[in-house]
């Protein structure tokens, strides 16, 4: 496998996983909870590293996943207690956890092979060289396995709970009345977000994760109405952003993860302006036509 | 810890930032713009890079001006997306935050590869490096602090109105748009200044956490601003000292950790709003309800024919509500002390005072049943459960009023007598 191929493959798998869970986040107006999770898993990762002394262990994923769920739990408790607004409860929880993570990492930086830059921007450019060796034979880059398995997990869980997730996204009241548990589905989705974020973390960094969670689903939201189509469009635009972003980073000789975020932003601007149904230009034309049909007296 | 020039600078700087951040954070919190400030912090990064690319200068004024422009641009971009598309606020904030930051990262990595960009020090905007603060930074920060405090004192009434009742402000003919723009600009200014000290991610906590903590202690805006500014300043100084004392603890996270601890403390212990107080209150109410139920059960046993004030054994009482004997005795202990109850072995009976107290509870129960039955015309089998709760909640005044409104009924809908004070 050539290096470029590996980078693009990892990028596309991360983008697809993020687009799948991100679509539900955007539909449920919880986009910023995804942002919060992507920051607050940091102490989980740090503790995982400290306990296991290795980067590839399950301990790290479990630690980060636990922190993600803890974030959701704390935000929810604060909100429910009526002592803080919803947005403020997100805004006080994730920086606190992130601060703990930063302190852990800088206190024990010498003991663990993990630096902050890598966590924030990722090192997708190095993914081709980090190989997995099973029983003496190399079976490919680790990031490919990690992100591939995550994508598989996302596909399986969303496939199994598709009807329930659809229901809870559009009508949580009906969902509860029909006997499904919105709270359990909520935590299931958030656990999935946490796992996705963690898997994406080291390869592409925290910023790209947020961009990939939020931007492609929004592009899809501007283009289509049906949930299945929205999921597919989000995955597609995520992958396009990966290719375009890689090209951009090559031309500018800059950060690949940053380039992908910029490319996703570009796609969003295109959809924002040109979407046939909800775009700025289309609605402007519609308004002009309406005015022409009923001229002012 | 050595009392060096750097330590002093960092201490003064962190306290000033905490003070201004705390004060402005209150407005961000009350105007539900908590996460907008997070987006502003991220959006400022490309501004820093572009300012450097255009001027080649690393002076804080130039970089901060660039950051300021980008921050305001980001705020307008979020508004533009919300107003002109079906994207909701949270997603719009997420888009602007991540895309602007992505642009910043690309520019930053590009700059670092330029010959002039080596060790440009631009990356201190990412994580913040309070230790690099010089006298110039302190001077700038002091000026900003004074500006913010001056503006808040001068426009206190207007800012208050804009934060709580936007529509009323418009109807009064206030330049609400201008005031909001002014507040947001001040917010951007503080965010931008704070970036190089605490970094992109933690900036939001410098604003919000002290404000959220202060909110727990008071309901008045003026007091909230003072408390929040105070908490911010204390967190700033304690955090910076901790980071100077303990090796390898960065300043920004230390400050945020201190203010977060203060927030947790406030959420737990603030009078009236605090969770611990609420829990104690619940416990007290629960115990009172259990005592009132015990009195009532004894009264009802008397009513059924054995006579008020007769001995009732514990096992019979336990059967009424499926309670444990020890739980009942715990409730009884306080009642015995107030001489509403007498106890002998495992038998209990009401005293004369106790009969009167129990009658009050039963009266509330039966009057409420009558009320529900007559006014809401609920069927008799729907009354009891509601009355079971209301008998503990109704005050004596309300019950007297209820009695009057119902025309002093003799019996409840089930035909049981309604006890009166005189009897």
């Amino acid at each position: 496998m050539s290096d470029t191929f590996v980078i693009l493959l990892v990028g596309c798998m991360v983008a697809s996983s993020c687009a799948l869970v991100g679509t539900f986040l955007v539909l449920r107006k919880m986009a910023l909870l995804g942002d919060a999770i992507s920051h607050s898993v940091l102490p989980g990762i740090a503790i995982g590293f400290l306990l296991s002394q290795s980067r590839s262990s399950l301990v790290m994923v479990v630690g980060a996943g636990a922190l993600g769920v803890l974030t959701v739990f704390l935000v929810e408790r604060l909100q429910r207690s009526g002592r803080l607004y919803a947005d403020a409860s997100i805004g006080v929880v994730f920086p606190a956890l992130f601060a703990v993570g930063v302190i852990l990492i800088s206190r024990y930086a010498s003991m663990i092979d993990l630096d902050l830059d890598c966590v924030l921007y990722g090192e997708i450019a190095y993914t081709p060289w980090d190989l997995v060796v099973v029983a003496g034979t190399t079976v490919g880059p680790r990031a490919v396995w990690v992100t591939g398995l995550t994508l598989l997990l996302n596909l399986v869980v969303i496939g199994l709970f598709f009807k329930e997730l659809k229901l809870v996204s559009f009508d949580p009241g009906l969902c509860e009345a029909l006997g499904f548990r919105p709270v359990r589905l909520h935590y299931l989705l958030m656990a999935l977000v946490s796992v996705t974020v963690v898997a994406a973390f080291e390869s592409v960094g925290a910023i790209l994760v947020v961009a990939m969670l939020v931007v492609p689903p929004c592009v899809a939201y501007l283009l289509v109405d049906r949930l299945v189509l929205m999921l597919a469009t989000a995955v597609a635009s995520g992958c396009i952003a990966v290719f375009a972003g890689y090209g951009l980073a090559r031309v500018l000789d800059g950060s690949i993860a940053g380039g992908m975020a910029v490319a996703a932003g570009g796609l969003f601007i295109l959809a924002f302006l040109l979407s046939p149904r909800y775009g700025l230009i289309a609605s402007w034309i519609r308004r002009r036509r309406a005015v022409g049909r009923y001229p002012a007296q | 810890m050595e009392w060096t020039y750097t330590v002093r600078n960092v201490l003064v700087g962190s306290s000033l930032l905490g003070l201004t951040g705390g004060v402005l954070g209150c407005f961000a919190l009350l105007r539900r713009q908590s996460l907008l400030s997070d987006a502003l912090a991220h959006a400022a990064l490309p501004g820093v890079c572009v300012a450097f690319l255009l001027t080649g200068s690393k002076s804080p004024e130039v970089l901060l001006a660039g950051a300021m422009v980008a921050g305001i641009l980001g705020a307008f971009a979020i508004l533009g997306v919300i107003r002109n598309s079906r994207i909701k606020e949270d997603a719009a904030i997420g888009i602007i935050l991540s895309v602007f930051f992505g642009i910043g990262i690309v520019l930053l990595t590009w700059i670092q590869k330029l010959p002039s960009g080596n060790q440009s020090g631009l990356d201190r905007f990412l994580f913040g490096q309070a230790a690099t603060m010089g006298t110039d930074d302190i001077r700038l920060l002091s000026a900003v602090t004074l500006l913010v405090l001056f503006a808040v004192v001068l426009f206190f009434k207007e800012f208050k109105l804009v934060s709580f009742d936007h529509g009323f402000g418009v109807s009064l003919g206030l330049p609400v748009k201008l005031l909001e723009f002014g507040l947001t600009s001040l917010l951007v200014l503080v965010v931008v200044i704070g970036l190089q000290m605490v970094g992109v991610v933690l900036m939001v906590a410098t604003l919000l956490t002290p404000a959220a903590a202060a909110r727990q202690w008071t309901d008045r805006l003026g007091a909230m601003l003072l408390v929040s500014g105070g908490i911010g300043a204390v967190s700033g100084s304690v955090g910076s000292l901790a980071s100077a004392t303990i090796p390898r603890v960065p300043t920004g996270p230390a400050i945020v950790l201190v203010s977060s601890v203060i927030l947790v403390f406030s959420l737990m212990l603030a009078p009236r709003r605090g969770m611990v107080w609420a829990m104690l209150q619940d416990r007290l109410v629960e115990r009172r309800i259990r005592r009132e139920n015990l009195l009532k059960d004894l009264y009802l046993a008397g009513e059924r024919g054995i006579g008020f004030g007769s001995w009732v054994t514990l096992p019979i009482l336990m059967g009424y509500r499926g309670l444990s004997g020890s739980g009942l005795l715990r409730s009884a202990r306080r009642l015995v002390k107030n001489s509403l109850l007498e106890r002998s072995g495992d038998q209990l009976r009401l005293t004369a005072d106790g009969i009167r107290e129990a009658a009050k509870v039963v009266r509330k129960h039966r009057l409420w049943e009558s009320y529900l039955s007559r006014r809401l015309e609920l069927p008799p089998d729907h009354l009891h459960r509601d009355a079971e709760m209301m008998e503990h909640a109704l005050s004596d005044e309300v019950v007297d009023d209820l009695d009057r409104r119902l025309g002093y009924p003799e019996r409840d809908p089930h035909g049981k007598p309604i006890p009166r004070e005189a009897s």
Side-chain angles (χ1 to χ4, degrees), chain A residues 80 164 167-168 171-185:
Chain A
R80 289 248 176 99
E164 288 83 350
L167 196 57
V168 81
D171 196 342
L174 180 64
C175 182
E176 184 143 33
L178 287 177
F180 301 109
R181 301 278 186 81
V183 178
R184 282 197 198 169
L185 278 172

Side-chain angles (χ1 to χ4, degrees), chain B residues 325-381:
Chain B
S326 58
L328 279 174
L329 284 179
R330 221 176 303 136
S331 305
R333 202 172 304 140
R334 174 80 173 273
L335 292 167
V336 170
K337 214 171 79 188
N338 294 351
S339 54
L340 298 172
L341 216 62
E342 283 172 24
R343 181 183 163 193
S344 131
D346 70 340
Q347 287 188 313
L348 295 172
R349 72 170 180 189
L350 293 168
T351 64
D353 283 345
I355 294 172
R356 214 167 301 128
E357 276 304 309
K360 271 193 201 166
V361 179
V362 174
R363 178 167 175 250
K364 285 175 186 173
H365 183 101
R366 291 183 179 165
L367 275 174
W368 186 251
E369 285 191 339
S370 308
Y371 178 75
L372 286 182
S373 156
R374 286 208 216 161
R375 289 299 155 95
L376 299 183
E377 300 182 356
L378 291 180
D381 57 337

Side-chain angles (χ1 to χ4, degrees), chain B residues 54-371:
Chain B
L54 287 180
T55 64
S57 149
K58 271 180 262 174
S59 76
E61 287 82 4
V62 173
L63 299 182
L64 294 179
M68 184 99 189
V69 171
I72 290 176
L73 215 62
F76 276 116
I78 291 172
L79 271 184
V81 168
I82 297 171
R83 289 215 182 123
N84 295 307
S85 76
R86 62 199 299 234
I87 304 284
K88 310 291 183 299
E89 189 189 4
D90 65 317
I93 290 179
I95 292 169
I96 302 301
L97 180 154
S98 59
V99 172
F100 269 58
F101 199 62
I103 298 173
I105 295 295
V106 170
L107 290 175
L108 199 62
T109 41
W110 189 40
I111 287 170
Q112 277 164 348
K113 281 168 189 156
L114 294 178
S116 60
N118 257 351
Q119 285 136 15
S120 60
L122 294 191
D123 49 354
R124 74 172 178 163
F125 282 89
L126 287 175
F127 299 113
Q129 279 174 347
T132 59
M133 287 212 333
T135 323
D136 280 352
D137 295 299
I138 297 287
R139 216 170 285 144
L140 192 65
L141 193 54
S142 315
V144 169
T145 308
L146 280 179
L147 174 72
V148 166
L149 294 183
F150 186 67
V152 167
V153 170
L154 200 62
F155 295 109
F156 179 71
K157 245 189 303 182
E158 285 81 359
F159 285 168
K160 189 174 177 179
L161 198 58
V162 168
S163 307
F164 288 106
D165 199 341
H166 178 103
F168 186 50
V170 175
S171 76
L172 285 180
L174 280 176
V176 170
K177 282 234 167 89
L178 197 66
L179 285 168
E180 288 187 324
F181 181 73
L183 258 183
T184 308
S185 307
L186 286 179
L187 196 65
V188 175
L189 185 65
V190 172
V191 164
V192 162
I193 299 269
L195 272 187
Q196 45 179 342
M197 294 177 58
V198 298
V200 167
V201 178
L202 298 177
M203 191 54 226
V204 61
T206 319
L207 293 163
L208 279 187
T209 308
R215 177 69 191 85
Q216 309 306 317
W217 296 91
T218 172
D219 287 330
R220 305 194 58 83
L221 179 62
M224 184 177 161
L225 290 174
L226 287 178
V227 175
S228 178
I231 292 176
V234 168
S235 320
S237 40
V238 173
S240 59
L241 287 177
S243 119
T245 318
I246 311 165
R248 292 195 307 280
V249 170
T251 317
I255 296 172
V256 171
L257 217 53
V258 173
S259 61
S260 299
V261 169
I262 296 179
L263 173 63
V264 171
F265 181 78
S266 308
L267 283 169
M268 291 294 155
L269 294 178
R272 280 181 301 140
R273 279 176 76 102
M275 293 182 185
V276 172
W277 293 115
M279 226 162 64
L280 285 179
Q281 197 69 37
D282 284 356
R283 282 272 290 276
L284 288 180
V285 170
E286 217 170 275
R287 280 192 203 150
R288 182 172 59 83
I289 289 178
R290 260 189 249 127
R291 284 196 302 272
E292 288 182 355
N293 280 340
L294 178 57
L295 286 176
K296 194 180 68 175
D297 287 346
L298 283 164
Y299 182 93
L300 294 179
E303 200 181 49
R304 273 193 286 271
I306 57 168
F308 301 118
S310 321
W311 291 106
V312 181
T313 61
L314 215 47
I316 292 178
L317 287 170
M318 283 156 65
Y320 288 153
R321 294 177 189 273
L323 293 174
S324 70
S326 58
L328 279 174
L329 284 179
R330 221 176 303 136
S331 305
R333 202 172 304 140
R334 174 80 173 273
L335 292 167
V336 170
K337 214 171 79 188
N338 294 351
S339 54
L340 298 172
L341 216 62
E342 283 172 24
R343 181 183 163 193
S344 131
D346 70 340
Q347 287 188 313
L348 295 172
R349 72 170 180 189
L350 293 168
T351 64
D353 283 345
I355 294 172
R356 214 167 301 128
E357 276 304 309
K360 271 193 201 166
V361 179
V362 174
R363 178 167 175 250
K364 285 175 186 173
H365 183 101
R366 291 183 179 165
L367 275 174
W368 186 251
E369 285 191 339
S370 308
Y371 178 75

